[in-house]
Amino acid sequence: DNPTPSISSLFQEQDKTQNWIYINGNSFDDVNNPSNSVKDGTLTIKGSDFGPAAAGNKMPAGAKIEINSGAGFVALPADKVVYWQDGSNGNATAQIILPDTFTAGGPLTLRLTNAYSKVDADAKTFSLHPRVYSITPSSFTVGAQSSVSLDGAGFDTNKINVKVFLNGVETTNFSVSNSKTIVVSGINTLSPKTYLVKVTVNSQDSNYPDANS
């Protein structure tokens, strides 16, 4: 009889311990740590009996990984399952990234169907954090710029679920244009300095790029 898969743990590939990742949109660029940007957006799934991989350590036919962010399970596109390796005694491994079709939040529930179409009975949870890729303009003269644009992924289009912080101080002077763009206004009143920008979506924090005024 074909085995049923089991998931023993989920963790971020960069940190190896925390069970959350940053969203990965159209770019893997992380303005703070470019070399870490792929790893901190990769969720590693460890367990047993995932089934043999397809060529190139890809997810095999019959297998799938599904995510439930509150509206039911949705299967990830095959190209978002970036690694697959079978094994027993907790040595099976799969790795995924979440595209910008997802909104940051948590907990999200993950379940895995192996190559034998058997479903793991013990689904696991993790959190998804938004990412800010860039600030435009990133440098400006005080009084000459009234707003800046935060370009990223995973933003909730419902403003009530979003918070923006400048050097740790919350501002309500912003609008959410779409899931990839937030416009912060009132910039012309800021004092000249470097500002660390953080976006929180559904209680999940983004990375911390900076803008210079």
Side-chain angles (χ1 to χ4, degrees):
D1 190 26
N2 292 326
T4 297
S6 63
I7 298 174
S8 56
S9 63
L10 305 177
F11 56 85
Q12 184 196 107
E13 182 60 21
Q14 173 64 30
D15 181 83
K16 305 294 187 183
T17 58
Q18 54 203 24
N19 65 336
W20 62 267
I21 58 171
Y22 287 112
I23 196 167
N24 271 307
N26 296 327
S27 169
F28 285 119
D29 292 339
D30 180 324
V31 295
N32 291 326
N33 300 292
S35 62
N36 295 339
S37 59
V38 173
K39 290 184 176 181
D40 68 19
T42 301
L43 186 71
T44 296
I45 306 162
K46 299 292 287 186
S48 300
D49 299 315
F50 291 179
N57 288 108
K58 300 298 184 182
M59 183 172 64
K64 61 182 175 180
I65 293 176
E66 298 171 283
I67 306 295
N68 186 349
S69 56
F73 281 98
V74 176
L76 280 179
D79 64 342
K80 304 307 178 185
V81 182
V82 296
Y83 183 81
W84 191 281
Q85 176 182 292
D86 194 19
S88 57
N89 300 318
N91 292 318
T93 304
Q95 291 181 326
I96 64 170
I97 59 175
L98 264 65
D100 54 18
T101 52
F102 284 84
T103 299
L108 283 67
T109 304
L110 179 148
R111 70 183 181 192
L112 182 147
T113 300
N114 68 10
Y116 311 111
S117 300
K118 296 291 187 70
V119 183
D120 174 41
D122 186 22
K124 302 293 185 182
T125 61
F126 68 101
S127 297
L128 180 63
H129 288 228
R131 193 191 292 276
V132 178
Y133 291 121
S134 63
I135 302 172
T136 306
S138 60
S139 182
F140 50 86
T141 301
V142 172
Q145 185 71 28
S146 61
S147 65
V148 295
S149 176
L150 311 181
D151 297 311
F155 303 152
D156 195 320
T157 54
N158 187 347
K159 183 179 176 179
I160 196 172
N161 297 323
V162 180
K163 294 181 178 180
V164 176
F165 298 85
L166 304 176
N167 283 350
V169 178
E170 184 177 356
T171 177
T172 58
N173 294 326
F174 70 91
S175 60
V176 184
S177 299
N178 52 58
S179 64
K180 299 180 182 181
T181 306
I182 293 174
V183 177
V184 182
S185 56
I187 299 300
N188 53 314
T189 65
L190 295 177
S191 301
K193 65 175 72 174
T194 297
Y195 288 87
L196 291 177
V197 179
K198 180 180 77 173
V199 175
T200 298
V201 179
N202 295 313
S203 301
Q204 307 302 321
D205 293 340
S206 72
N207 51 326
Y208 290 76
D210 58 53
N212 298 293
S213 64

